[in-house]
Amino acid sequence: MAVCVAVIAKENYPLYIRSVPTESELKFHYMVHTSLDVVDEKISAMGKALVDQRELYLGLLYPTEDYKVYGYVTNSKVKFVMVVDSSNTALRDNEIRSMFRKLHNSYTDVMCNPFYNPGDRIQSRAFDSMVTSMMVQVC
Amino acid sequence: MEATAGGGCGSGPPLLLSEGEQQCYSELFARCAGAAGGGPGSGPPEAARAAPGAATAAAGPVADLFRASQLPAETLHQITELCGAKRVGYFGPTQFYVALKLIAAAQSGLPVRIESIKCELPLPRFMMLKTDAEIRFGNPAELHGTKVQIPYLITEKSTFKRMDDEEKQQETQSPAMSPLASPPSSPPHYQRVPLSHGYSKLRSSTEQMHPAPYEARQSLVQPEGPSSGGPGPKPPRHQASLIRSFSVERELQDHSNYPDEPWRITEEQREYYVNQFRSLQPDPSSFISGSVAKNFFTKSKLSIPELSYIWELSDADCDGALTLPEFCAAFHLIVARKNGYPLPEGLPPTLQPEYLQAAFPKPKWECTLFDSYSESMPANQQPRDLNRMEKLSVKDMADFPAPTQDVTGDDKQALTSATDEALPKDISEDSATPKDPNSLKARPRSRSYSSTSIEEAMKRGEDPPTPPPRPQKTHSRASSLDLNKVFQPSVPASKSGLLPPPPALPPRPCPSQSEPASEAELHSQLNRATSQAAESSPTKKDIPYSQPPSKPIRRKFRPENQATESQEPSNTVGGPASVATVKPHPAVQKQSSKQKKAIQTAIRKNKEANAVLARLNSELQQQLKEVHQERIALENQLEQLRPVTVL
C-alpha cells in the first residue's frame, strides 16, 4: 500500500502525483523529486546497449527513515515513483512489481484515449480509481 | 412498507403490493414527503377541495406526480377520491399507495375502481420524476403554473436554452441529432432528471426529441399545464415530436429489463449512430481509429475532459479504437451529456458492448449496412464517372465538359478541327439538337446520382458549373445552331438530322439559301481555324457568328439582313468561295454525313470505353482508400502497443 504515487514524464515534470496523507504532500513531492536523480542514475548505468534488456522495474531507489521509494521506468522514459511506508514490512517486492504493472497498464489505457494529449496531466477517472485502490486507505 | 402496514394506517382498501411496487411506492412517498416537508401535500389544486393546497408546498409534489402520470385530470380526480385522500383530507401512506396503484391501473387501461387495484399491475409510469435537483429548482412549479418559481425557472432555463441553442447551432452534429429520440425516452419507471441542466422533460414527453428540449424550453416561457392533453396548447412542431416520442415510449416499454432508460439506445438512435459510424468508417465491422473518433466527437463541443471520460467509459477494451458498439455507446453518452444527463460512474449495462451487440445483432446490421453501402457505391461511382469523363475531356479539350453529350461534342470538336470541313458543322449541328434536349436531361441525371456521401456532394458541386459553357460551344460552332433553328421545322423531314444544311436548303428561300449555307460552311471553317480569321465574304456574318453563343436569333436575322450584303463583300475569297461552295455543297454535305456517321459511331465506342474505365478507376480508388484506412488503423494500434523507445 503506497503512501504516494507519482507519474513523471520524460521531461521530469509530473503528470500525476497523489499522496494519501494530504498534509504532508509537500514532503512527498520533494521525495519524488529527489528520487528522480536516482532514477536517472539507474537508467544511465544500464547503458545504451542494454536498453532492450533493461528491466522496467528499478526496485528500491533509496530508503529513508520513514519511507521507501521504489521506481519504475517505461520504455518511453515515463517514470513511476511509489513511496511506501517503511513500517509496512509486509510489502514484498512482488507486490510492488504488481502495483507498478497495474500502474503501467492504467497508464497505457490513458494513453489510448485519443482525447489525452501526451504530456497533459492525467485526469482519468479510471486511473484515479486504480491509484486509490493501491493507496493506503486512510480512515 | 408492507401492504398490511399501509392498510393498517388508514382507511383505504387493503393493498397487495409486490416488492417492486413497495419499493417504488415507498420511494415516491418519501420524495413527496420530503418535498412537502412532511406528509405529502394535498392533492392537485384543481381538486374539488377548495382547500388551499398550496399551503403545504408551493408545488404539490403529489399533484405533480399524478400529473406526471399523464392521466387526464378527471381520472386523477377519481383516483384521489377513491384513494381516500379527499375523505381523509391528506395523503397518508395508504392513500398514497392506493392512489399510485390506481394510477397504474388507469395507465394500463383498467377502469379506476377499487377492484382494479387488487390485481397485478405494472408500476405506474411517470413522465418526469423529481430528483433532488428538480425539487430544488421547484420544477413542478412550472407545471402547476404557480408563478412563484416560474420566473426563476424560466430565466434559468432560458439561459440554459440559449447556451445550448447557441451550442447546438454551432454544432455540426446538432441538425443530425435532431431526428433522434433522445435517450430519456419515456421510461416505464421514473427516472431522475437533473433539471438543473434546463433539460425539461415536459409531460408530453417532448423531452425525447433533441429539438424538443429547446422548443420545450421556449414553451416554458408560457407555462403550460402539463397533462396528457397537453399537446393542444403546444406549438405544432411539438406534435411530431410528441408522436415520435409516444412511439418511442411504447417501444421502450417493451423492454423494461433495465431500469436505466436514459442509457438505452432506441432503434432510431442506433440507426443514426450506425450511419455516422459508416460515414467515418465504411466497414461496420472494423474500428474507428482514435484520432478519427476524436475529431468527430470534438465536434460535439463537449469539453475535452468530458470527452476523455466518455471515451474511457466506452472504449471497453482500451485499444484506442472504437468498434461499432463502442462507438454507439460513446455517441449515446455524448448525446446524453449534451442533454444534461450527468455522466455515469461506470458504463451502464445497456451500453455495454456485449449488450449492444446482442440487442442489435451485427450480421443483420452488416447486411443492411453493406446493402446501403453498395447502393451508395454505384451511386458514388456514377457521378465520379461523369466527373472523370468530364475531367478527361477537360484535359483533352481544355474546355468545359459536361455529361456525355459534351464529350461527344468535344470529340466532335477535335475531329472538326482536324477535318476542318463542313463535317464539324454537321456534327455540331447534329450534336446541337440532341445536345440541347440531352443536356437538359443529363443535368438532372447527374444530380440523381447524388447520395449522402461527402465525395458525391463535392462532385455534385463539380457538376453544375460544367453545363453552361456547352451552349456556347454549340453556338461557337456557329452557324450550326443557327441553321438548326432555321432548319428545325425541316429537321424531321431531313435524313437523320445529320445534314441540316442540305435539308435546310430546300425550305429556305433560294436566294438566301446559298448564302447562309455557304456562309455557314465558311463560318464553320473559319471558326475552326480562328474565331476571327474569317476574312471571306461573310465577314460581317462571321462577326455575328463568331460572336456566337447567345445570339442565334441575331445570326438568323443577320444572314437574312445581310443576304444582300453578302453579295457585296469585296473579298474575292468570299465571292469565289461562296460561288464555289454552292455547287459542291450537296456533294460535300453527303460525304460529310457519311463521315459524320462514322465519326459518331467511333465516338460512341470511345464513350463507352471511357465509362467502363472510369468506373474501374473509381472502384480501384475506393479500394485504395479502404486499404489506406486499414493501414492507418493498424499503424495506430501498433504505435500504441509498442512503447516508443526514445534514447
Side-chain angles (χ1 to χ4, degrees), chain B residues 90 105 140 162 168 175 213 260 264 298 308 346 352 379 396 482 494 511 517 537 545 598 627:
Chain B
Y90 61 90
R162 276 186 214 114
K168 282 283 182 180
D260 41 4
R264 176 177 298 277
T298 313
S308 170
Q352 298 281 352
D396 293 341
D482 170 38
S494 72
S537 56
Y545 287 145
V627 169

Side-chain angles (χ1 to χ4, degrees), chain B residues 397-417:
Chain B
M397 310 316 304
D399 206 345
F400 286 100
T404 58
Q405 278 68 26
D406 275 345
V407 177
T408 316
D410 289 335
D411 290 342
K412 287 177 186 169
Q413 215 176 16
L415 289 168
T416 55
S417 56

Side-chain angles (χ1 to χ4, degrees), chain A residues 113-132:
Chain A
N113 189 333
F115 297 102
Y116 171 76
N117 302 315
D120 290 351
R121 305 209 123 233
I122 296 177
Q123 285 161 333
S124 149
R125 287 191 222 183
F127 192 81
D128 282 342
S129 59
M130 190 275 309
V131 168
T132 315

Side-chain angles (χ1 to χ4, degrees), chain B residues 191-259:
Chain B
Q191 348 175 20
R192 311 203 276 119
V193 180
L195 196 61
S196 55
H197 292 276
Y199 181 76
S200 65
K201 296 168 84 174
L202 286 190
R203 300 332 192 192
S204 55
S205 69
T206 52
E207 61 194 345
Q208 302 181 6
M209 307 304 298
H210 286 204
Y214 306 108
E215 300 166 80
R217 283 190 210 109
Q218 290 164 11
S219 69
L220 283 176
V221 179
Q222 323 127 14
E224 301 165 333
S227 61
S228 50
K234 291 197 170 64
R237 59 191 166 173
H238 283 282
Q239 299 296 337
S241 58
L242 275 174
I243 294 165
R244 284 179 88 172
S245 57
F246 280 132
S247 62
V248 172
E249 193 177 339
R250 271 176 236 118
E251 194 186 308
L252 275 189
Q253 288 163 5
D254 292 336
H255 10 263
S256 51
N257 298 328
Y258 291 95

Side-chain angles (χ1 to χ4, degrees), chain A residues 51 75 77 109 113-114 124 126, chain B residues 290 294 308 311-312 318 644 647:
Chain A
V51 161
N75 283 331
K77 291 283 188 297
D109 288 344
N113 189 333
S124 149
Chain B
K294 174 180 178 178
S308 170
W311 176 279
E312 261 186 49
C318 290
V644 177
L647 270 180

Side-chain angles (χ1 to χ4, degrees), chain B residues 596-634:
Chain B
K596 199 176 166 189
K597 279 178 197 165
I599 288 163
Q600 278 191 335
T601 49
I603 287 163
R604 270 179 223 127
K605 284 177 193 165
N606 282 339
K607 262 196 285 179
E608 285 161 22
N610 259 353
V612 169
L613 288 172
R615 251 174 249 133
L616 246 185
N617 195 6
S618 62
E619 278 177 19
L620 289 172
Q621 284 202 352
Q622 188 67 24
Q623 286 181 16
L624 181 64
K625 274 181 205 165
E626 287 170 21
V627 169
H628 269 308
Q629 283 171 352
E630 283 179 27
R631 184 174 153 221
I632 290 169
L634 286 172

Side-chain angles (χ1 to χ4, degrees), chain A residues 1-65:
Chain A
M1 287 301 145
V3 171
C4 168
V5 171
V7 178
I8 315 291
K10 184 177 67 156
E11 293 84 6
N12 287 340
Y13 63 86
L15 295 176
Y16 182 88
I17 181 160
R18 191 149 137 226
S19 42
V20 163
T22 45
E23 53 273 3
S24 45
E25 211 170 311
L26 196 58
K27 182 175 69 177
F28 291 125
H29 288 206
Y30 180 68
M31 288 178 73
V32 168
H33 183 69
T34 53
S35 65
L36 288 179
D37 285 333
V38 185
V39 170
D40 284 338
E41 192 188 319
K42 288 207 182 241
I43 298 175
S44 58
M46 300 276 188
K48 287 209 172 180
L50 299 174
V51 161
D52 291 337
Q53 304 161 21
R54 177 164 58 81
E55 201 182 292
L56 305 178
Y57 175 66
L58 300 176
L60 183 67
L61 297 178
Y62 71 92
T64 62
E65 188 178 326

Side-chain angles (χ1 to χ4, degrees), chain B residues 246-318:
Chain B
F246 280 132
S247 62
V248 172
E249 193 177 339
R250 271 176 236 118
E251 194 186 308
L252 275 189
Q253 288 163 5
D254 292 336
H255 10 263
S256 51
N257 298 328
Y258 291 95
D260 41 4
E261 287 319 313
W263 311 120
R264 176 177 298 277
I265 302 181
T266 66
E267 275 297 323
E268 292 176 11
Q269 292 175 321
R270 175 72 184 212
E271 272 185 46
Y272 178 70
Y273 298 156
V274 171
N275 285 337
Q276 292 294 315
F277 184 93
R278 270 193 292 137
S279 75
L280 296 176
Q281 162 68 271
D283 181 6
S285 64
S286 80
F287 299 88
I288 290 187
S289 71
S291 45
V292 170
K294 174 180 178 178
N295 292 336
F296 183 71
F297 289 138
T298 313
K299 285 193 248 172
S300 72
K301 299 267 169 54
L302 286 180
S303 63
I304 296 292
E306 288 189 351
L307 288 171
S308 170
Y309 183 59
I310 287 175
W311 176 279
E312 261 186 49
L313 287 178
S314 56
D315 190 6
D317 46 5
C318 290

